[in-house]
Amino acid sequence: MTDQASQLVRHDVFKEAAWIAAPVAGHRDWDEYAIELNVFLEAGTLEILFGVRSETRYSGCSLDAASGGVTLFVNEDGTRQALAEAVAPELDNLPSSIRIRLERSAEDIAVVIGGRTVLSAREPERESGTIGFKAGSGGAAVCRDLRVFAPDGRILYVNRFYDPAAIQFGGGRIDGSGSGLRLDENVLAICEAPVAPDSPLLRKDFELPSAVEQAELRVYALGWYELSVNGAKPDARLLTPANSPYDRRLLYDVYEVTDLLNTGTNAIGLWLGNGYNMNYSRWGWKWKRGKAVALELKATLADGSTAIIVATDESWLTKPSPLLANDIYDGETFDARLAQPGWDLPGFPAEGWGHAVRAEPPEGELAPNQQPSVIAHATLQPIRVLRPREGTSVYDFGQNIAGWARAAVRGPAGARIVLRYSELIDGDGAIDPWTNRNAKATDVYILGGEAERETYEPRFTYHGFRYVEATGDAELLELLAVPVHANVDEAGEFSSSDETLARIQRNLRWSILNNLYSIPTDCCQRDERTPCLMDSAVVEEAAIHNFGMQAYYRKWLGDISHDAGNPDWSGDKVTLPWYLYQYYGDRETLEAYYPSMSAYVEALGAKWPAGIVEEGFGDWCVPNDDGWENYFNEVEIVNSALYWRFARIVSQAAAVCGRAEEAMRFSALADRIGEAFQSRFHDGAGIYGSGSQTAQLMPLAFGLVPASCVGKAVQGLLAAIEAKGRRLDTGIYGTRYLMDVLADYGHIDLALSLLTQPEYPGFGYQIAQGATTLWEQWSEKGGMHSHDHAMFGGIGASFYTRLGGIEPLSPGYESIRIRPIVPSRLQWVRTRLKTARGEIVSDWTKEGDALRLEVVIPVGATAVVVLPNFNGNAATVSEERIVGPGCHAFDVALTAAAAE
């Protein structure tokens, strides 16, 4: 969209609203403050600068790698005056990372290293100014995790130095490690354009001369916001607005607020937080500028007239909130002593509040957000409380979740409770924050002291955790865990007689939900939580079978429609519209995204004219010995097989959309890719590529194996499994199709054994270690790991389609196939699936020497019920029955082996 078109859309959505922001003190006006950072000093000297007025006028602290000396100094136009010197033993072990704090108070400057005050001095003729760094002659250093604090602890600035596009310093570069500002010899880096991590309140009183018939409020903010009308939240929405590729699309929220308005004086309150700001991962969609908000309230009055009653402009009042810090990764610090009860109610005096200022409109096209909201769900009680050391309590909630803790506390003003979150604990019961990586995952509540019981829960952060450590000098009365995720409906229910299989189902459901925010994230605990297309692609069918995902995935398709990576990464822009069509009958979405689907496949054809895709992640995260290079697997086979599949899907989609010529063209392309695939990977005797489990699974799963070679290809798969000691050796793509292929070719018992056995690697192994969600790696710990990744959850689709046997034969389940594949070790399976036509049920139970299959077909649908024929331990197709709506029961004789 052109800038002009974007402006037209913006004007149409917010006709009278201006973009406004809270005024922020300029960085060159910083006076009293503290600087904290991690320094990795490799050689020479590094100067940490403060009170910077120009490149030649500043104060500073010099660290000398050779001598271990620390010097406080003032530099005035080239003249340097030392104020104090000391030798710091903390510098003896360089190069290593040290935590440094410079405190610039009204009286003096102090240098604190590793918690110890090394030296202090009085600063003559001090002036306000910004901060910076300078590497001396022969100097080499990396600065990480920079924070600037006001005297009251309020955060003035944070920079993790993750993103080359958000350095905000006039020199230096992002370190090759992906984190930190690298300063080479004689480089001067001054903070020139900091983005404030503030959390302002904004309010507006307005009058309604008469009652309203209907009122709608629209709002969009850069950063997360919380909205209130006359002191009440309009609904349960949290962590709004939705994350999206902001340069293209801005998804505003619409609220029905009729019942919250009064005749006479009313008030609207807005509370802004950081959300996906500049310190969000470089791999995610984020803002790299200050916060701003636009709002309009449109009402139909009793006389039938419609008008915009209130809109954002400079008349709105603003003041800093009680949040001293808020960060998606690090958590919140809330000082209840600064709270102003009633700030969002009409008639609030607002003494000391200032006026909002105009802000530049953001880029991107404004559109309403129609995705299910992120909300809080039923709280969890702790199942035990551990006391690893005096003054520390660790609450175990028994389940890994995404969200936060809700604390009830008691104590005097200024007392505090500190909550730290983790997925793991150590042998002593202390939290182990290893999977958080650089996310501090800490919430701090400072009590106001005016109530017998104060309650706190965060609003502008979230955490992935099972355990919460509580410390501090306040009395903790109660601690609950609050799961937070997208409000998607329950759609499917799968259960079985095998407890391990039931635990796998529970674990994958929790992992899917814990990573359903306004984007499907890769993980929910560490400093990432990004829109990972590959992770989403492999789990989307499982998500659709468990939850109502149509509206959620429509939004996601709008986010990713411009992505053009390799098939393993960007493929769901092709497969997801097809899934929505197959499972929901959503032809509208298929037609809307067909141009994107076809353009992507054509782009792949232009890049890989020989039909073989040679780049990508492949079958990501097979069992491995750790190390980045070991996470990749079967890159060419996986990506080339996916490329073939995409061409086939686009051909089918073109036919559905009435594009017959394009259907033929993409079908021919698929044929050429298939020929190239056979030529490149097939040995002619059923073995593909290396003959690994993944190499055999992918062509079998997609139908790429010639009919004459299918039996040999299956035998090759079985041999690959035997070669690994009957253990799986698959990553996220191979695992997704493992049960499908083994079930379809008569080896369902083997599939079930691979998934549930308690030894490494496998889901059974994770469960044996206490897992309540799915891990990122098959191993428990490694160089890249989380304990709440959904990407291995793709196997969950097979529970419905193979063990339950429910599959659509036509879009939207107008016609259905019920074909359960029955393992010998399972005694029963219960499968229910809500569809657009109603609920489908497929339940089977072994009763003595018979299997009883009960099915329910919704009104308006027909089904082909395929009854199994048991021959030893294997079930093959015996008989098909055509049934209509209603309840149906079938009895099938079992052999002695199958009845076990």
Side-chain angles (χ1 to χ4, degrees):
M1 175 171 286
T2 66
D3 290 342
Q4 182 179 8
S6 181
Q7 292 290 337
L8 289 173
V9 171
R10 183 177 298 114
H11 178 74
D12 181 61
V13 173
F14 296 118
K15 291 183 170 63
E16 297 182 12
W19 290 88
I20 62 170
V24 178
H27 58 295
R28 295 192 178 276
D29 296 324
W30 291 346
D31 184 14
E32 297 179 35
Y33 54 87
I35 305 171
E36 283 189 3
L37 71 154
N38 290 329
V39 172
F40 191 87
L41 183 56
E42 298 173 351
T45 61
L46 173 69
E47 296 176 355
I48 304 170
L49 311 180
F50 50 92
V52 179
R53 282 81 71 196
S54 70
E55 293 186 0
T56 59
R57 298 179 62 207
Y58 48 80
S59 299
C61 170
S62 175
L63 308 174
D64 191 314
S67 68
V70 181
T71 304
L72 283 170
F73 66 89
V74 174
N75 192 80
E76 291 286 346
D77 297 325
T79 301
R80 180 179 171 121
Q81 175 188 353
L83 303 178
E85 298 179 336
V87 174
E90 291 84 354
L91 302 183
D92 289 347
N93 296 321
L94 296 177
S96 63
S97 181
I98 56 175
R99 187 69 177 172
I100 296 182
R101 179 180 172 95
L102 299 181
E103 299 174 347
R104 193 188 197 208
S105 67
E107 292 77 28
D108 54 22
I109 315 160
V111 180
V112 180
I113 300 179
R116 183 180 73 88
T117 301
V118 175
L119 77 166
S120 62
R122 176 85 49 165
E123 185 179 10
E125 300 181 7
R126 58 178 289 157
E127 296 184 61
S128 300
T130 187
I131 62 173
F133 308 107
K134 185 177 181 180
S137 178
V142 179
C143 298
R144 294 187 172 95
D145 196 21
L146 169 67
R147 293 158 194 274
V148 181
F149 298 88
D152 63 357
R154 190 178 297 274
I155 290 281
L156 297 174
Y157 183 60
V158 177
N159 199 330
R160 293 188 178 88
F161 300 115
Y162 282 171
D163 192 342
I167 291 179
Q168 300 182 337
F169 279 70
R173 55 189 169 86
I174 298 298
D175 185 59
S177 66
S179 172
L181 182 67
R182 171 159 287 280
L183 301 162
D184 299 319
E185 181 178 16
N186 296 323
V187 168
L188 173 65
I190 296 175
C191 183
E192 298 176 338
V195 172
D198 56 336
S199 177
L201 304 173
L202 296 110
R203 71 177 313 276
K204 174 71 175 179
D205 279 345
F206 62 98
E207 296 290 327
L208 277 175
S210 63
V212 300
E213 295 295 325
Q214 191 272 335
E216 179 182 274
L217 190 151
R218 298 182 178 190
V219 59
Y220 188 82
L222 284 67
W224 281 331
Y225 72 86
E226 185 176 279
L227 169 72
S228 60
V229 178
N230 290 330
K233 293 181 66 175
D235 58 26
R237 264 176 268 199
L238 300 169
L239 305 179
T240 52
N243 189 224
S244 62
Y246 299 118
D247 59 334
R248 292 196 291 107
R249 60 198 311 249
L250 314 173
L251 301 177
Y252 64 85
D253 294 299
V254 180
Y255 298 87
E256 168 58 51
V257 296
T258 307
D259 294 340
L260 297 179
L261 298 174
N262 306 313
T263 301
T265 304
N266 294 264
I268 295 176
L270 285 167
W271 193 333
L272 303 187
N274 289 310
Y276 302 97
N277 74 341
M278 61 161 279
N279 284 304
Y280 181 51
S281 169
R282 76 172 73 176
W283 311 116
W285 304 311
K286 62 183 184 177
W287 294 112
K288 301 171 187 176
R289 50 161 287 178
K291 284 177 278 297
V293 63
L295 173 150
E296 280 187 348
L297 173 62
K298 185 177 182 180
T300 301
L301 303 178
D303 62 6
S305 62
T306 299
I308 293 174
I309 303 300
V310 65
T312 42
D313 58 24
E314 295 96 325
S315 69
W316 282 61
L317 299 178
T318 182
K319 188 173 185 176
S321 78
L323 276 175
L324 304 183
N326 70 102
D327 184 271
I328 187 174
Y329 301 136
D330 290 348
E332 289 187 356
T333 299
F334 186 101
D335 191 341
R337 297 171 298 180
L338 304 177
Q340 296 193 54
W343 71 271
D344 53 355
L345 292 174
F348 179 75
E351 296 174 1
W353 289 53
H355 284 278
V357 297
R358 290 230 176 195
E360 286 294 317
E363 298 178 9
E365 177 183 349
L366 282 159
N369 182 21
Q370 298 175 335
Q371 183 185 44
S373 302
V374 173
I375 67 168
H377 297 264
T379 58
L380 304 180
Q381 296 275 355
I383 62 171
R384 58 176 176 160
V385 181
L386 306 170
R387 314 283 182 186
R389 57 185 177 272
E390 186 176 354
T392 300
S393 300
V394 173
Y395 290 74
D396 177 3
F397 290 97
Q399 175 61 55
N400 219 17
I401 70 166
W404 51 68
R406 178 184 299 154
V409 295
R410 179 168 56 206
R416 63 178 59 203
I417 191 78
V418 179
L419 305 174
R420 297 176 63 216
Y421 299 79
S422 72
E423 295 186 313
L424 307 172
I425 55 174
D426 63 19
D428 297 325
I431 65 167
D432 177 1
W434 177 76
T435 61
N436 293 344
R437 205 158 61 184
N438 294 318
K440 292 182 171 52
T442 303
D443 295 326
V444 180
Y445 179 70
I446 304 170
L447 278 68
E450 296 183 1
E452 179 66 18
R453 179 186 176 99
E454 300 181 40
T455 302
Y456 165 74
E457 62 182 296
R459 53 176 44 83
F460 295 135
T461 189
Y462 75 92
H463 312 285
F465 67 99
R466 171 175 171 171
Y467 304 95
V468 179
E469 174 198 86
T471 57
D473 54 354
E475 181 184 0
L476 182 57
L477 304 175
E478 183 181 49
L479 195 70
L480 302 175
V482 183
V484 176
H485 53 75
N487 190 25
V488 292
D489 295 331
E490 296 286 331
E493 177 186 338
F494 172 84
S495 59
S496 77
S497 58
D498 187 277
E499 178 55 29
T500 301
L501 191 62
R503 285 289 302 274
I504 295 172
Q505 167 71 357
R506 289 199 296 271
N507 288 6
L508 70 86
R509 279 173 57 91
W510 269 108
S511 287
I512 291 170
L513 288 175
N514 290 341
N515 286 286
L516 284 187
Y517 277 68
S518 58
I519 52 173
T521 60
D522 50 358
C523 58
C524 55
Q525 73 295 103
R526 68 185 181 216
D527 51 340
E528 198 165 348
R529 310 180 206 184
T530 54
C532 186
L533 280 69
M534 178 174 66
D535 291 20
S536 180
V538 291
V539 81
E540 282 161 0
E541 283 186 284
I544 287 170
H545 280 86
N546 282 283
F547 308 106
M549 300 297 298
Q550 184 178 11
Y552 186 95
Y553 280 147
R554 279 178 165 178
K555 182 268 182 186
W556 176 238
L557 278 170
D559 291 340
I560 65 174
S561 61
H562 286 59
D563 199 272
N566 292 310
D568 54 10
W569 182 266
S570 301
D572 58 345
K573 66 186 298 179
V574 173
T575 55
L576 187 51
W578 189 245
Y579 294 155
L580 297 183
Y581 175 62
Q582 290 296 312
Y583 295 121
Y584 297 110
D586 188 352
R587 179 169 175 164
E588 178 184 359
T589 298
L590 183 67
E591 291 179 337
Y593 286 97
Y594 174 80
S596 174
M597 297 164 65
S598 58
Y600 173 63
V601 171
E602 287 176 339
L604 289 176
K607 184 175 182 179
W608 307 106
I612 302 299
V613 181
E614 299 173 351
E615 298 175 353
F617 294 90
D619 196 22
W620 186 243
C621 287
V622 293
N624 62 77
D625 295 326
D626 202 32
W628 178 256
E629 68 281 358
N630 296 323
Y631 303 150
F632 299 81
N633 183 56
E634 299 290 6
V635 170
E636 292 188 3
I637 277 185
V638 169
N639 279 277
S640 300
L642 289 170
Y643 178 28
W644 176 86
R645 185 183 183 217
F646 299 163
R648 295 278 295 178
I649 288 175
V650 170
S651 174
Q652 293 170 290
V656 172
C657 296
R659 301 169 180 255
E661 183 178 338
E662 292 182 38
M664 293 176 60
R665 178 161 57 86
F666 283 106
S667 178
L669 173 61
D671 290 344
R672 292 194 297 274
I673 298 168
E675 291 170 0
F677 189 92
Q678 299 301 324
S679 176
R680 178 67 169 270
F681 301 116
H682 191 205
D683 71 350
I687 302 301
Y688 284 82
S690 67
S692 70
Q693 293 178 25
T694 298
Q696 297 300 111
L697 280 166
M698 296 301 288
L700 282 167
F702 293 162
L704 268 163
V705 182
S708 60
C709 296
V710 167
K712 294 179 180 178
V714 171
Q715 289 304 310
L717 171 61
L718 298 178
I721 293 171
E722 290 294 334
K724 291 294 181 178
R726 295 176 72 85
R727 300 287 187 265
L728 59 76
D729 188 39
T730 52
I732 59 176
Y733 278 101
T735 304
R736 161 62 187 93
Y737 298 107
L738 179 68
M739 179 175 279
D740 287 1
V741 171
L742 288 175
D744 289 348
Y745 293 104
H747 300 282
I748 187 62
D749 285 336
L750 176 59
L752 199 60
S753 174
L754 290 171
L755 297 176
T756 60
Q757 59 85 22
E759 303 297 327
Y760 173 85
F763 295 111
Y765 171 75
Q766 295 178 3
I767 291 167
Q769 312 312 307
T772 62
T773 44
L774 304 182
W775 298 351
E776 182 179 18
Q777 296 273 341
W778 292 115
S779 57
E780 189 170 8
K781 279 194 173 183
M784 180 192 73
H785 206 69
S786 90
H787 277 217
D788 202 346
H789 252 64
M791 65 187 190
F792 276 107
I795 192 72
S798 305
F799 299 168
Y800 291 86
T801 62
R802 295 318 191 270
L803 295 178
I806 301 174
E807 294 183 279
L809 289 178
S810 61
Y813 293 94
E814 181 178 5
S815 58
I816 307 159
R817 178 169 61 193
I818 307 291
R819 187 190 61 164
I821 301 177
V822 181
S824 61
R825 62 182 272 192
L826 292 188
Q827 294 304 303
W828 56 266
V829 160
R830 306 280 183 270
T831 317
R832 285 158 173 76
L833 186 63
K834 295 178 183 177
T835 73
R837 296 187 174 275
E839 185 176 68
I840 303 169
V841 175
S842 173
D843 292 348
W844 56 260
T845 304
K846 294 176 182 176
E847 300 175 346
D849 59 357
L851 179 140
R852 186 167 183 82
L853 172 63
E854 297 178 348
V855 303
V856 177
I857 307 302
V859 174
T862 59
V864 178
V865 179
V866 183
L867 302 179
N869 174 39
F870 292 94
N871 179 16
N873 286 332
T876 57
V877 173
S878 169
E879 185 178 354
E880 293 185 357
R881 303 281 183 86
I882 308 298
V883 299
C887 303
H888 309 274
F890 308 91
D891 291 306
V892 181
L894 293 172
T895 63
E900 293 176 356

